[in-house]
Amino acid sequence: MANTIPVTQKPVPSSVSKDAYVLGIQDNGSGQQALYRLPINDVRGNGANDLFIIPSLITQLGVTNALKAFVEANADYDSLTNICNRFFTAAAKSVSGTYTSQFYKYASSNSPIGEKQDANADLTCTPSTKTVAGTDDYKTLPLFACFDVNYTIDSTTLEPVILAIKGIYGGFSSAPANSLVGVMQMTGWVRRTSTDTTKKVEYRATEATGFKPLPEAVRAADNTVRGFVVHAKYAAGYNSAGLLSSVSGVQPATYRSGSTGSTSISFNGQIAKWREWGNQYCGSSLCDIAFIQLMLEIKYATLGSAQVMAGCRGYSTTYTAAAAETGVTRVLLTAAQGAYFVVGSCVSLGSTKDRAKATAYDVCDITKILSIEDVTVDGTAYKAVNLDTETPFNTTTATYIVAHPWQTGSTDDVLGNDGSPTNNTSGKEPCKIQGIEVMVGAYEVPGDTTLYEDAEKYTVYLNRKAADIKASSSGTNPVTVGTIPKETDAAWKYIAELNWDANNQEAYMLAQTFAGSSTTGYRAGVYRDGAATTGWREWLAFGNLAAWGFCGFACAGLNAGLGTVDWNVAARACGSGGNRGEFTPA
């Protein structure tokens, strides 16, 4: 190769252009490191070279195109997973800022709104819809740039295996049969601190005093920190191979008697379903929920999601058909009734409105609304709700139209990493944050979390390895992450404070005080049993389409047994957090 010189005799350039020949460090064939001039698209990095090349690529190309160039240059020489780890590990070294949001403690001010500080101070973020792109100053920052991926979990290393990256490399599919869809981004480090009156959350790309990596970044095999994390992009539903998965375009798997795809999803019920992929698979982790809350706090400087992205929390009203028809694929409603429904959402037609009964699906099973249009029938004006089915049915004025959780992928066409299909705050639509779709209208029960309640408290247990999870118990090698206090009577109560002072993403979501409201504190509720009730419980996250003000990223229903199933209890696949270690500072 031309122009070989000793590494010590040539200074490292501070930047490169898209068309430049760049300096790359390689073995010169004699066991010595030497600098070569290489075309940028032919760069073949090693560890030292990565720290030299990748920051320059990001500076000149932006993080997305830099990842694309780096992957293409190295794909013939390394696995895609390792290339991603190399890229994000080196990229993190170039991110110097700390992204901070400060809030008042509830006792000092009950406002959910905080203040952005440090590197976060001048950044703006507003959610998007399918037609209007919001402002997202974070999407091009290396620490926050996120990428849809197809991934699996290796049975030996318990590590995520990246198979394809949307728009970057490989044959990415939003509905794969042999892998799952996730969202990959750089590993971040978190620190939560407080004073007598305030509390502060800080997020950065590299280790510093008091900062801990995202738990889902800590490798199960050796407790080292991976350069990236993966979260399942969608609520769990069945893929084309009949496996519970994370794919776009399917109905979330829940228990709904009489409906196609009905599944006994619960803490207990999901275990065997995930193990059809292998013992290294499980449902989502409590730290995955904490990540969603963390991104809300950093990007929007708020504790409550309702005023930013409400999710599907108030979409439960049912109506009967305004007129009978035969052999149709629509239902006629009054103008006011028709205006209630959202195109793209899911409904069923039945002789009852109770979603738990088979008769809620006996006219038309769950399907999407294709359109809503004005029609006139026999001189009367109606709204026709047209459904996505080729099977005609008959309606009567006793036929109910019943809203259901949205299909996965309903936010795929949203013009950004955050947002809802048409309206971010209507309470009728799912949302996504950092590309992760949540609040589709059903609770999600984590696969690694169990609680045991006595008269005074809930004790919360986690399993850090999928194979350790066992039905009806805390499993093998459970980790106790904290407690949630109880009161005398069973009730929903709004969260005033989560477990901030633990400074631990695994324990953060454990609510500690409950003086909040639908407009103060975390703007989300926790349902706790009364003191007289004891036993094992599953964690029900986010809320459902009928829970209204109690819903939110911090919402938790804690009254359901480990085998409780219902039409509104869904799940999510594990990402990199399904098998994780425990970080120990050096």
Side-chain angles (χ1 to χ4, degrees):
M1 185 174 292
N3 299 325
T4 302
I5 51 179
V7 69
T8 56
Q9 292 186 13
K10 193 73 175 178
V12 174
S14 60
S15 64
V16 296
S17 71
K18 294 180 182 179
D19 300 320
Y21 275 59
V22 299
L23 292 177
I25 301 171
Q26 293 185 338
D27 191 287
N28 66 2
S30 301
Q32 298 177 333
Q33 293 295 305
L35 286 174
Y36 293 86
R37 292 193 175 277
L38 303 168
I40 192 169
N41 288 329
D42 292 336
V43 170
R44 293 175 289 178
N46 56 38
N49 206 40
D50 293 347
L51 293 175
F52 163 60
I53 292 294
I54 290 171
S56 294
L57 287 175
I58 292 173
T59 298
Q60 294 299 314
L61 304 179
V63 63
T64 298
N65 287 329
L67 177 59
K68 183 177 177 65
F70 189 72
V71 169
E72 290 177 345
N74 288 278
D76 290 340
Y77 309 96
D78 204 349
S79 71
L80 184 57
T81 304
N82 198 45
I83 293 169
C84 290
N85 187 59
R86 289 168 50 196
F87 180 87
F88 286 111
T89 299
K93 305 297 184 183
S94 68
V95 181
S96 59
T98 298
Y99 300 85
T100 303
S101 290
Q102 180 173 283
F103 304 89
Y104 280 106
K105 286 186 171 180
Y106 193 89
S108 298
S109 170
N110 62 18
S111 172
I113 306 302
E115 177 189 40
K116 292 185 178 183
Q117 299 177 350
D118 303 328
N120 213 24
D122 297 322
L123 300 180
T124 299
C125 197
T126 57
S128 302
T129 66
K130 291 194 293 186
T131 57
V132 178
T135 300
D136 188 351
D137 292 341
Y138 297 85
K139 66 181 180 181
T140 59
L141 300 176
L143 180 56
F144 295 91
C146 51
F147 304 88
D148 287 357
V149 298
N150 293 143
Y151 71 100
T152 57
I153 307 295
D154 185 84
S155 61
T156 301
T157 65
L158 304 182
E159 281 288 281
V161 178
I162 307 301
L163 303 176
I165 310 173
K166 184 178 180 179
I168 301 292
Y169 191 82
F172 173 83
S173 171
S174 63
N178 298 313
S179 62
L180 301 92
V181 181
V183 182
M184 175 180 68
Q185 69 176 73
M186 182 186 290
T187 291
W189 296 70
V190 188
R191 181 171 69 180
R192 295 183 184 274
T193 56
S194 65
T195 68
D196 290 342
T197 59
T198 63
K199 54 193 179 186
K200 182 181 293 187
V201 58
E202 300 165 279
Y203 194 60
R204 56 182 289 123
T206 54
E207 185 175 3
T209 302
F211 285 79
K212 299 176 182 178
L214 295 171
E216 53 269 43
V218 182
R219 294 184 176 97
D222 58 10
N223 297 321
T224 58
V225 179
R226 190 187 318 101
F228 66 88
V229 294
V230 177
H231 300 94
K233 185 174 179 68
Y234 304 113
Y238 285 98
N239 67 13
S240 60
L243 295 173
L244 197 63
S245 189
S246 173
V247 292
S248 180
V250 299
Q251 195 64 23
T254 63
Y255 181 77
R256 45 188 192 272
S257 177
S259 174
T260 301
S262 176
T263 303
S264 294
I265 293 293
S266 63
F267 173 82
N268 286 347
Q270 65 179 303
I271 297 172
K273 291 295 183 182
W274 294 123
R275 286 182 178 166
E276 291 178 9
W277 289 87
N279 288 341
Q280 70 272 31
Y281 289 85
C282 62
S284 62
S285 301
L286 196 59
C287 58
D288 296 335
I289 300 170
F291 176 80
I292 298 293
Q293 178 68 27
L294 171 67
M295 290 296 100
L296 177 74
E297 293 168 1
I298 295 295
K299 296 180 70 176
Y300 294 93
T302 185
L303 300 173
S305 59
Q307 75 272 25
V308 177
M309 292 174 284
C312 187
R313 61 173 61 205
Y315 195 37
S316 59
T317 302
T318 60
Y319 298 102
T320 53
E325 290 192 297
T326 302
V328 295
T329 56
R330 69 184 188 183
V331 59
L332 299 179
L333 301 176
T334 67
Q337 293 168 347
Y340 177 80
F341 292 95
V342 182
V343 173
S345 65
C346 289
V347 297
S348 70
L349 303 180
S351 55
T352 184
K353 60 183 178 181
D354 187 343
R355 297 173 182 85
K357 295 181 178 179
T359 45
Y361 314 93
D362 60 6
V363 175
C364 180
D365 204 350
I366 300 174
T367 189
K368 285 203 299 185
I369 296 176
L370 284 178
S371 64
I372 301 173
E373 60 182 346
D374 293 314
V375 298
T376 300
V377 178
D378 295 332
T380 302
Y382 298 100
K383 286 286 188 180
V385 179
N386 299 308
L387 304 183
D388 186 16
T389 179
E390 297 179 356
T391 304
F393 47 77
N394 303 330
T395 62
T396 72
T397 54
T399 299
Y400 284 93
I401 179 171
V402 182
H404 289 273
W406 288 61
Q407 282 191 0
T408 62
S410 293
T411 63
D412 283 355
D413 294 331
V414 170
L415 302 175
N417 294 332
D418 303 354
S420 297
T422 67
N423 189 318
N424 283 292
T425 55
S426 68
K428 297 180 179 180
E429 303 184 17
C431 58
K432 65 177 177 180
I433 185 167
Q434 286 297 99
I436 305 166
E437 185 176 84
V438 294
M439 295 189 71
V440 297
Y443 292 110
E444 292 185 20
V445 53
D448 75 338
T449 308
T450 53
L451 307 91
Y452 188 84
E453 60 170 321
D454 58 28
E456 298 178 348
K457 65 186 181 303
Y458 291 87
T459 301
V460 184
Y461 303 94
L462 303 180
N463 290 115
R464 292 186 176 135
K465 293 183 176 63
D468 288 344
I469 297 169
K470 296 185 183 300
S472 303
S473 73
S474 58
T476 305
N477 301 314
V479 177
T480 304
V481 293
T483 61
I484 299 171
K486 290 178 65 175
E487 297 179 30
T488 302
D489 297 325
W492 280 103
K493 292 287 184 70
Y494 285 98
I495 303 166
E497 295 287 0
L498 291 178
N499 198 14
W500 195 282
D501 289 336
N503 189 28
N504 182 341
Q505 282 290 101
E506 285 188 312
Y508 176 49
M509 300 309 294
L510 279 60
Q512 298 298 295
T513 61
F514 304 89
S517 72
S518 61
T519 58
T520 63
Y522 285 81
R523 300 191 66 174
V526 174
Y527 189 94
R528 294 168 296 161
D529 287 322
T533 304
T534 63
W536 288 101
R537 299 290 177 260
E538 60 189 18
W539 186 295
L540 299 177
F542 300 128
N544 68 77
L545 57 77
W548 293 87
F550 297 116
C551 297
F553 295 169
C555 171
L558 306 181
N559 61 319
L562 297 181
T564 298
V565 300
D566 208 345
W567 65 268
N568 60 5
V569 178
R572 182 177 297 261
C574 64
S576 55
N579 297 278
R580 60 190 186 276
E582 183 177 15
F583 172 73
T584 302

